[in-house]
């Protein structure tokens, strides 16, 4: 029987919620067994959560030799080896920075087709739907071959539980490390920061935010919503926010349930990065701003008045 | 240093894309150098300005991609190579084989730069596949490069404001992203001079490759529909906010 593999992503040993949508997508194939792969030794800890969504076996991948955590090449070789060992014909994962890097390494090593940033997948047909032209179009792509890989945009597929009883296993790969590439340091690691691409709610500031300090207004609102804070290209280019916060064509592509844009004009490039959001709300002082013609709800007003008011209302209503 | 920079000729990010046929689009829009590749090109130019050597721009594309090579030459690349194909969208495996063969036919790279992804097909994997073909290590989402003896120290963005510092042996493939540098604009005299610089053209077949022989196929392109316009929430900031919160609760997004 064919098996569908899932590259499970964790954050400090805890399974990320965004995985559940990926598992749901893998399960749609019905008869396929879903095998979850973990790279950080957290199989036992994550088993309870992932079996709720139909993962039948949770495999912890290790390397026999080498500095596993510091070598992306070693991780990729080990994962490719495990995929062959468990006869996985499809590997699905999150199209996060980590998932994209690892899956691209595996796909290159196996010379297998890969599609990233997918918003849908038909595992048996080996057909994916994914963003194309930076979110302006959706492409339906056929992936040929015995094995294919697919990275799914966080939040793109709604998770649906289907509990099973999972087993755990450890796979120790014999793959070696070329030693050509190693992680020597991780900088700026902060806990409690919601990653833009995985956030359910995003509050974004445009150029009218006018300073780095003023982002605190958006952060206060984001805190009430459990949201991540984004910035437009104009705000980033003006130096008000780092590029890591940029949403749009040369920034992050996001699909939250709720996107609140404050002081955004609504450029084609910005929309390319967020138009697949479920609900888009715009706050702008200009009634003719293009954003009002392509969002769901609009508030005509100054973000410096509207956002604090919204924060207050959210606070009061819990 | 001999640095090869892979660029892609893509529709301008501001262009409105009109889908034509099942998987084609109106190609009469303005085309530019893929924005992420510009960061790679700029970094290569800054490095050779210090170390000496040559920057060679390489692309796989239609005949029209020559204009993007000219742009690269205008900002400082010494030469250009075009691998000619008839398709705008080649499978990333095929593209990387074409790039590898074109590069190795031309010389011995000390470093290969490109963007972390194209803004049209958004495959995000050509740097990895090219690295495999060239038997080199690869890092993408690169926002910092420091060259050392036989190795480079590279910073990559991993999301949530976190950066990974990596040590990578040379030669290697680096996929650039925004934040690495500020790409320069071509100046008029340089645009004129660029017209005299050499662009070598080879066909896919000359490299022993065949268009359409990859393992992915775009079956269909669909325009993402635009929303029809906002429902405006009237009243004071407070009143509008109350209305909004009620709607968002109703929609179950908060």
């Amino acid at each position: 029987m064919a098996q569908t593999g899932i590259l499970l992503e964790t954050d400090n040993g805890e399974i990320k919620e965004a995985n559940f949508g990926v598992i749901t997508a893998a399960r749609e194939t019905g008869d396929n067994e879903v095998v979850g792969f973990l790279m950080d030794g957290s199989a036992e800890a994550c088993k309870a959560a992932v079996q709720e969504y139909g993962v039948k076996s949770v495999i912890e991948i290790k390397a026999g030799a080498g500095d596993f955590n510091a070598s992306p090449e070693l991780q990729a070789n080990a994962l490719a080896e495990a995929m062959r060992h468990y006869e996985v014909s499809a590997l699905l994962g999150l199209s996060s920075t980590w998932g994209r890097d690892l899956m691209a390494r595996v796909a290159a090593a196996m010379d297998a087709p890969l599609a990233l940033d997918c918003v849908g997948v038909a595992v048996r047909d080996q057909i994916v739907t994914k963003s194309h032209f930076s979110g302006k179009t959706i492409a339906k792509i056929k992936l040929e071959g015995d094995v294919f890989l697919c990275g799914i945009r966080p939040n793109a597929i709604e998770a649906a539980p289907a509990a099973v009883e999972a087993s755990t296993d450890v796979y120790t790969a014999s793959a070696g490390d070329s030693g050509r590439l190693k992680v020597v340091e991780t900088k700026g690691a902060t806990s409690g920061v919601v990653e833009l691409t995985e956030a359910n709610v995003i509050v974004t500031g445009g150029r009218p935010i006018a300073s780095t300090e003023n982002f605190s207004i958006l952060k206060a609102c984001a805190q009430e919503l459990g949201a991540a804070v984004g910035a437009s290209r104009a705000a980033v280019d003006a130096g008000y926010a780092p590029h890591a916060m940029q949403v749009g064509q040369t920034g992050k592509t996001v699909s939250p349930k709720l996107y609140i844009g404050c002081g955004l004009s609504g450029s084609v490039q910005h929309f390319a990065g967020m138009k697949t959001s479920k609900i888009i709300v715009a706050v702008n002082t200009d009634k003719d701003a293009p954003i009002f013609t392509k969002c769901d709800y609009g508030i005509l007003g100054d973000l410096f008045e509207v956002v604090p008011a919204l924060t207050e209302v959210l606070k009061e209503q819990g | 240093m001999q640095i090869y920079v892979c660029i892609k000729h893509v529709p301008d990010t501001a262009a409105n894309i009109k889908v034509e046929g099942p998987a084609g689009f109106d190609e009469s829009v303005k085309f530019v150098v893929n924005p992420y590749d510009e960061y790679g090109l700029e970094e290569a130019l800054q490095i050779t300005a210090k170390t000496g050597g040559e920057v060679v721009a390489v692309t796989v594309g239609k005949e029209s991609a020559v204009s993007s090579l000219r742009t690269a030459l205008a900002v400082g690349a010494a030469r250009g190579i075009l691998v000619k194909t008839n398709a705008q969208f080649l499978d990333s495996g095929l593209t990387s084989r074409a790039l590898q063969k074109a590069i190795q036919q031309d010389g011995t790279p000390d470093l290969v730069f490109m963007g972390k992804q194209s803004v049209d097909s958004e495959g995000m994997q050509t740097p990895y596949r090219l690295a495999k073909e060239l038997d080199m290590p690869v890092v993408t989402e690169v926002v910092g490069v420091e060259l050392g003896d036989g190795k480079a120290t590279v910073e990559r963005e991993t999301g949530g404001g976190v950066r990974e510092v990596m040590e990578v042996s040379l030669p290697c493939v680096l996929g650039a992203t925004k934040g690495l540098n500020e790409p320069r604009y071509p100046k008029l005299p340089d645009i004129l001079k660029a017209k005299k610089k050499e662009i070598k053209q080879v066909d896919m077949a000359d490299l022993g490759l065949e268009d359409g022989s990859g393992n992915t196929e775009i079956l269909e392109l669909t325009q993402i529909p635009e929303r029809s316009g906002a429902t405006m929430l009237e009243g004071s900031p407070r009143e509008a906010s109350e209305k909004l919160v009620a709607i968002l609760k109703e929609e179950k997004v908060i």
Side-chain angles (χ1 to χ4, degrees), chain B residues 9 14-16 30 46 51 53 65 80 99 102 112 114 128 195 242:
Chain B
H9 187 60
N16 274 311
K30 186 185 170 203
Q46 289 186 14
T51 66
L99 289 169
V112 178
M114 62 206 301
Y128 295 90
K195 290 188 175 155
E242 281 172 349

Side-chain angles (χ1 to χ4, degrees), chain A residues 40 77 120 136 140 152 155 177 181-182 193 210-211 217 225 265 271 273 317:
Chain A
D40 70 341
N77 291 340
K136 288 171 195 161
K140 191 190 263 189
I152 293 171
N155 297 330
D177 187 13
L181 176 65
K182 64 172 188 236
V193 176
S211 76
I217 296 165
L225 291 162
S265 63
F271 263 74
Q317 302 196 5

Side-chain angles (χ1 to χ4, degrees), chain A residues 101 133 136 187 195 277 296, chain B residues 13 120 128 155 160 227:
Chain A
D101 186 62
F133 286 118
K136 288 171 195 161
K187 279 191 191 171
E195 164 57 21
S277 305
D296 299 296
Chain B
T13 56
D120 60 351
Y128 295 90
E155 274 191 32
R227 284 155 218 252

Side-chain angles (χ1 to χ4, degrees), chain B:
Chain B
M1 279 197 133
Q2 181 77 4
I3 307 182
Y4 288 84
V5 179
C6 306
I7 63 171
K8 189 175 182 185
H9 187 60
V10 298
D12 190 331
T13 56
N16 274 311
I17 301 297
K18 214 159 69 200
V19 175
E20 286 182 350
F25 69 104
D26 178 358
E27 296 185 29
S28 66
V29 295
K30 186 185 170 203
F31 276 67
V32 295
V33 176
N34 176 46
Y36 293 108
D37 301 340
E38 288 184 336
Y39 301 110
L41 178 58
E42 177 63 35
E43 199 66 18
L45 293 169
Q46 289 186 14
I47 289 170
T48 50
K50 277 185 245 156
T51 66
E54 187 187 46
V55 173
V56 183
V58 192
T59 191
V60 181
K62 293 185 177 182
E63 182 97 45
S64 54
V66 162
S67 74
S68 279
L69 284 176
R70 291 276 172 222
T71 306
L73 299 179
V75 293
R79 297 184 288 119
I81 303 172
L82 166 66
V83 181
K84 267 192 290 185
T85 156
N86 293 318
Q88 175 67 23
F89 302 121
L90 277 193
D91 175 81
S92 59
L94 189 58
T95 303
S96 47
R97 281 191 287 278
L99 289 169
Q100 171 243 330
K101 285 173 191 288
I103 290 170
Q104 288 184 334
Q105 212 174 59
D106 186 80
T108 308
D110 295 309
L111 204 51
V112 178
F113 274 107
M114 62 206 301
K116 61 153 185 156
Q117 67 173 80
S118 67
V119 295
D120 60 351
S121 42
E122 302 180 76
M124 310 174 183
Q125 53 194 275
T126 303
Y128 295 90
R129 295 190 191 272
L130 176 60
K132 173 73 179 11
E133 298 294 336
L134 290 167
D135 191 21
M136 290 180 190
V138 56
V139 184
T140 71
E141 317 252 359
V142 170
V143 291
V145 179
E146 203 69 56
L147 290 182
D149 193 18
K151 63 176 188 187
T153 306
V154 171
E155 274 191 32
R156 75 185 291 261
E157 252 178 18
T158 60
V162 179
R163 285 181 174 201
E164 258 174 10
V165 184
M166 310 185 101
E167 250 176 41
V168 56
S169 62
L170 298 177
C172 65
V173 176
L174 298 178
T177 192
K178 189 175 178 177
L180 179 59
N181 50 44
E182 278 302 321
R184 65 196 74 182
Y185 289 102
K187 296 187 193 83
L188 188 60
D190 296 328
I191 293 172
L192 297 174
K193 264 187 249 165
K195 290 188 175 155
K196 295 200 187 93
K197 289 185 178 174
E198 182 204 338
I199 292 180
K200 185 160 75 181
Q201 298 202 11
V202 288
D203 284 314
M204 291 286 278
D206 299 338
L207 302 174
L209 299 169
E210 205 183 314
D211 269 358
S213 63
N215 54 11
T216 61
E217 186 196 350
I218 301 178
L219 304 175
E220 197 180 287
L221 280 181
T222 323
Q223 219 112 20
I224 299 182
E226 296 283 354
R227 284 155 218 252
S228 54
T231 304
M232 298 302 289
L233 307 175
E234 313 287 342
S236 67
R238 169 89 201 178
E239 286 159 3
S241 295
E242 281 172 349
K243 285 179 190 167
L244 179 62
V245 170
I247 290 167
L248 297 178
K249 283 189 171 165
E250 175 85 28
E251 297 262 16
K252 294 191 166 59
V253 291
I254 61 170

